[in-house]
Amino acid sequence: MATTIPPPNTEDTPRPERLKPGGPGNGGLRNLLPAEGSLQVMQGYSPPASSSAIWVFIASICMSFAALTSALIVRQGASTDWRHITLPSVLFLSTLMLLSSSFMLDVARRRVAAFMNGTEKEAGVAKLWLYATLGLGLLFVAGQYMAWLQLRSQGLYLATNPNSSFFYVLTAIHALHVLGGLGGLLRVIRKFGRSTLRRSTLTATSYYWHFMGVLWIYLFVLLWVKI
């Protein structure tokens, strides 16, 4: 004999509560409505995306440059035509720019966090620091291009000798990765302007940009000593 199951009573179904950050049960913020309709607060406290991807990417970059460093050392040891070159002076200025941009991005990250928490009312200040970081990054890439022009004026091209080849390859690959970081900064600025920026996005971008600065210091010392 068939039995009939009555439909569930929708009035007994719990509705999402408007909880404030820090209150009980906030582990399920994915299912909560913004407290008092504040989208800004929810963007700050929504569950961050997994940060493993950025660390995997950084690890792959490290392995790539480690392989290039090993190739440089082996090639120098087996070479009879290795001629040391003087590093273009513009590299010292571009190094300062990249390190300064890393500092500015850290300031921008704290400003954005303060704005998301509601302790800072003006978003323009945080955005100004982001634009300053972006500008210094562009100047760093321009400095790399000027360094290549200086080497060309000395008659040193990609295929002139082994050490000039490594100089062009190492600096060009790093500059391409810096351009990728600049794209990430543009994405952060665009999302921040639309109030859809997550802290996890800004944090991952900051980690990558700081890594670009550390990697460049390593390359600068390597070029100075070996090239």
Side-chain angles (χ1 to χ4, degrees):
M1 181 175 182
T3 58
T4 303
I5 300 176
N9 188 358
T10 56
E11 295 181 355
D12 296 334
T13 304
R15 299 177 59 86
E17 301 177 5
R18 294 181 178 269
L19 297 181
K20 295 184 179 180
N26 277 353
L29 275 174
R30 188 184 303 274
N31 301 319
L32 299 181
L33 299 178
E36 300 177 357
S38 174
L39 176 63
Q40 179 179 315
V41 173
M42 279 301 297
Q43 293 297 333
Y45 285 86
S46 56
S50 174
S51 60
S52 59
I54 190 65
W55 291 114
V56 170
F57 188 53
I58 288 176
S60 65
I61 295 175
C62 288
M63 289 187 290
S64 299
F65 278 95
L68 288 171
T69 301
S70 178
L72 185 153
I73 295 174
V74 172
R75 183 66 176 85
Q76 183 186 32
S79 177
T80 58
D81 57 346
W82 193 277
R83 294 189 299 111
H84 287 281
I85 61 177
T86 303
L87 294 183
S89 57
V90 70
L91 290 182
F92 294 90
L93 181 59
S94 61
T95 300
L96 180 61
M97 290 180 179
L98 188 59
L99 295 180
S100 299
S101 70
S102 187
F103 168 77
M104 289 187 176
L105 181 57
D106 192 60
V107 174
R109 183 176 60 83
R110 284 178 287 177
R111 292 283 188 174
V112 170
F115 177 73
M116 285 182 170
N117 289 333
T119 58
E120 185 170 314
K121 302 302 181 182
E122 296 294 331
V125 177
K127 189 175 290 187
L128 182 63
W129 285 100
L130 289 172
Y131 276 118
T133 304
L134 182 68
L136 286 177
L138 290 172
L139 288 176
F140 172 80
V141 176
Q144 299 297 85
Y145 180 71
M146 292 179 61
W148 299 334
L149 292 181
Q150 287 186 21
L151 288 185
R152 286 168 60 90
S153 66
Q154 300 173 18
L156 295 173
Y157 299 90
L158 180 63
T160 301
N161 51 55
N163 52 329
S164 65
S165 300
F166 276 104
F167 179 88
Y168 280 105
V169 169
L170 289 171
T171 54
I173 294 178
H174 181 267
L176 288 175
H177 285 93
V178 169
L179 288 175
L182 292 175
L185 285 173
L186 284 173
R187 181 169 176 264
V188 166
I189 293 172
R190 179 175 60 84
K191 284 182 172 293
F192 185 56
R194 298 178 180 178
S195 299
T196 59
L197 176 65
R198 293 181 181 273
R199 287 186 182 178
S200 57
T201 301
L202 179 57
T203 299
T205 304
S206 300
Y207 286 161
Y208 180 82
W209 193 256
H210 294 328
F211 171 71
M212 284 295 104
V214 173
L215 179 60
W216 173 248
I217 293 298
Y218 165 76
L219 290 178
F220 186 78
V221 173
L222 179 66
L223 295 173
W224 197 354
V225 174
K226 295 294 184 180
I227 301 295

